[in-house]
Amino acid sequence: MPVSWPVVIRSRRVVLPEGERPADVLVRDGRIARIAGHGTLPVDRPEQLADLGATALLPGLVDTHVHVNEPGRTEWEGFATATRAAAAGGVTTIVDMPLNSIPPTVTVEALQLKRKAAEGRSWVDLGFWGGAIPGNAADLEPLHREGVFGFKSFLAPSGVDEFPHVEAADLRAALAEQARIGALAIIHAEDPAVLAAAPQQPGARYRDFLASRPDGAETAAVSRLLEAARRTGARVHVLHVSSAAVLPLLRRAREEGVRVSAETCPHYLTLAAEQVPDGDTAFKCCPPIRDEANRDALWQALADGEFAAVVSDHSPSTPDLKLLPEYGGSGDFAAAWGGIASLQLGLPAVWTEARRRGHALADVVRWMSAGPAELAGLSASKGAIAVGRDADLVAFDPEAEFAVQAHALHHRNPVTPYAGRQLSGAVRATWLRGRAVDTGAEPFGRLIVRPANPRDRQDF
Ligand SMILES: [Zn+2]
């Protein structure tokens, strides 16, 4: 087969684990074979060189929190649309969440159905989380053996009936089993009792929605989770931290030896309650986007290394379920689907705000590529421009500016809270295992499994 893609990628801004520098990156058999001085690696034919000039070269992002929703709710998203959006947004690996698809990924049979639906239809590498729900403790070990990356549980209702949340006894059982088999437990931490006691005022006012999901729902749930982790010895990861009030709890638990990490998401870092227009349910997610002071505290924690990852929690639905007024909906925050679509926009959204706050591209890469790769146990192959890793690479122009047009995105539905926003940074090209991704051609993403070698999984 003739080589139809470059074997040397050259940039004045190659973002390496140790920082940014001009370099040539040699790709061979889908892996990074060598990193050399800028302009020093020869090529036989000019088409084997991609000279990016001042456009930066980043390792592909790893997004461990994506709801693809296929099979079963493919009208919400789907493998083809989600992974095209991922590639266009500089994300070369995604790990799909176990719920919103039907069936949810809570048995080996359901996992096989998902794999079948995804096979040959993914533009990026794709793995799967399993789900731990009441009554499926016996399914966890077989799923773990099949290569899921860990197990998600909800401490409060998930929003879909087929994925029930765990009560205290179920949580203990699930964590005990995961400690035994060495799996990573990933947790949606909001407390149903705190949510039930909060003021419920349906309608289009964002302020009312925010009051219905207070910080206390997150802190109460995280406290319960930490206690269960302490008792069972399970390795736990708190998904989508929205409230900065949970950070001291995590810090203290870590100091006491609890194996816990946490992530946050682009929307909590770049949007704020003060700017959410009433009735604009594109902004609805759970836990909710909180105020500016909270957002500043999340940035401080990110700068201090308290978050293992920044991942999208891409969770789209159809415009009618979002109840958007522009589609004839009521704009009622209480009744609208809770989930934000941002898979294609996470990198520019975070970069825009990170740069404003004095962070470098290398920081963004640590949060959105190296961190999630490590969380998923993929550090041997993903998450860095380093010799031996997969040549999953992104040409990213950090100086480009663009206004987000929801209809121009590859997401299945043109609904995103970033619509109309001015963002910095544009993805110019994406390579997956050395080969340029062309979203108009045949996909060649692979279905990946959790690496068997436990050395690949680092503890926090
Ligand atoms: Zn989610």
Side-chain angles (χ1 to χ4, degrees):
M1 197 171 68
V3 176
S4 59
W5 50 89
V7 291
V8 171
I9 304 177
R10 176 172 296 162
S11 163
R12 302 214 149 272
R13 300 184 67 177
V14 178
V15 180
L16 302 169
E18 63 273 19
E20 217 178 272
R21 69 171 165 92
D24 282 4
V25 175
L26 177 68
V27 174
R28 191 180 296 136
D29 300 329
R31 294 219 172 91
I32 296 166
R34 207 178 143 197
I35 299 161
H38 186 272
T40 62
L41 292 180
V43 290
D44 296 333
R45 296 191 305 276
E47 66 270 24
Q48 292 178 331
L49 171 71
D51 189 343
L52 305 183
T55 294
L57 186 67
L58 319 180
L61 268 51
V62 176
D63 192 338
T64 51
H65 196 150
V66 179
H67 297 264
V68 175
N69 306 332
E70 183 174 1
R73 288 194 179 90
T74 309
E75 70 279 13
W76 293 13
E77 190 59 277
F79 290 109
T81 48
T83 60
R84 236 189 246 126
V91 178
T92 48
T93 302
I94 66 171
V95 189
D96 173 55
M97 279 293 167
L99 76 157
N100 301 347
S101 58
I102 304 173
T105 320
V106 294
T107 63
V108 168
E109 202 184 358
L111 175 66
Q112 305 302 15
L113 279 175
K114 233 181 211 194
R115 284 188 174 150
K116 217 166 144 215
E119 191 73 60
R121 305 185 55 218
S122 185
W123 271 268
V124 299
D125 282 359
L126 168 65
F128 298 99
W129 296 106
I133 59 172
N136 85 327
D139 293 293
L140 304 186
E141 188 169 19
L143 275 166
H144 186 67
R145 256 191 260 118
E146 279 295 317
V148 297
F149 284 80
F151 296 93
K152 182 176 195 180
S153 296
F154 276 72
L155 304 188
S158 71
V160 292
D161 294 338
E162 68 279 1
F163 200 95
H165 71 281
V166 291
E167 304 282 359
D170 310 314
L171 176 65
R172 264 201 310 280
L175 291 189
E177 176 64 356
Q178 292 182 73
R180 188 184 73 79
I181 63 178
L184 169 65
I186 60 171
I187 308 290
H188 179 119
E190 287 183 289
D191 186 274
V194 176
L195 294 177
Q200 304 296 328
Q201 179 67 54
R205 284 208 316 182
Y206 188 74
R207 186 158 20 123
D208 292 334
F209 169 63
L210 188 54
S212 76
R213 300 193 91 99
D215 294 80
E218 286 187 70
T219 53
V222 166
S223 298
R224 275 209 289 136
L225 172 65
L226 292 172
E227 187 47 40
R230 202 174 273 126
R231 280 196 197 182
T232 56
R235 160 84 176 87
V236 299
H237 176 73
V238 183
L239 298 163
H240 50 51
V241 169
S242 139
S243 169
V246 308
L247 294 164
L249 304 176
L250 298 175
R251 225 173 285 141
R252 206 171 314 133
R254 258 187 232 115
E255 283 163 13
E256 291 166 6
V258 178
R259 297 193 300 153
V260 60
S261 58
E263 69 187 32
T264 189
C265 308
H267 40 279
Y268 302 129
L269 294 167
T270 65
L271 307 173
E274 289 87 339
Q275 290 124 37
V276 179
D278 286 342
D280 196 345
T281 47
F283 287 83
K284 179 180 174 180
C285 57
C286 301
I289 294 162
R290 303 188 188 277
D291 65 20
E292 283 168 359
N294 178 78
R295 181 178 61 178
D296 289 344
L298 293 178
W299 273 100
Q300 189 56 52
L302 193 56
D304 293 343
E306 293 189 44
F307 285 113
V310 175
V311 288
S312 70
D313 192 9
H314 178 71
S315 183
S317 73
T318 55
D320 56 315
L321 287 173
K322 277 304 247 182
L323 302 176
L324 284 163
E326 65 207 89
Y327 288 88
S330 63
D332 179 350
F333 276 100
W337 170 256
I340 280 186
S342 68
L343 184 52
Q344 195 174 334
L345 296 170
L347 174 58
V350 170
W351 168 237
T352 301
E353 188 67 18
R355 178 158 81 158
R356 205 175 68 73
R357 291 171 183 264
H359 293 287
L361 262 183
D363 296 321
V364 175
V365 163
R366 199 171 61 247
W367 304 327
M368 303 187 82
S369 182
E374 194 170 307
L375 176 71
L378 287 169
S379 289
S381 56
K382 311 287 190 190
I385 298 179
V387 171
R389 309 255 187 146
D390 289 351
D392 296 350
L393 299 164
V394 174
F396 182 70
D397 179 355
E399 306 301 327
E401 301 275 330
F402 71 104
V404 176
Q405 293 175 287
H407 281 276
L409 301 173
H410 290 286
H411 303 165
R412 171 150 291 162
N413 291 293
V415 177
T416 175
Y418 296 97
R421 283 175 84 91
Q422 195 72 23
L423 297 181
S424 303
V427 172
R428 300 297 188 206
T430 302
W431 292 271
L432 182 64
R433 281 175 273 100
R435 192 169 161 191
V437 178
D438 173 357
T439 55
E442 285 295 298
F444 51 87
R446 288 184 189 161
L447 302 189
I448 58 172
V449 295
R450 189 192 73 258
N453 185 347
R455 279 186 311 130
D456 294 342
R457 167 156 288 154
Q458 306 226 344
D459 279 322
F460 292 86

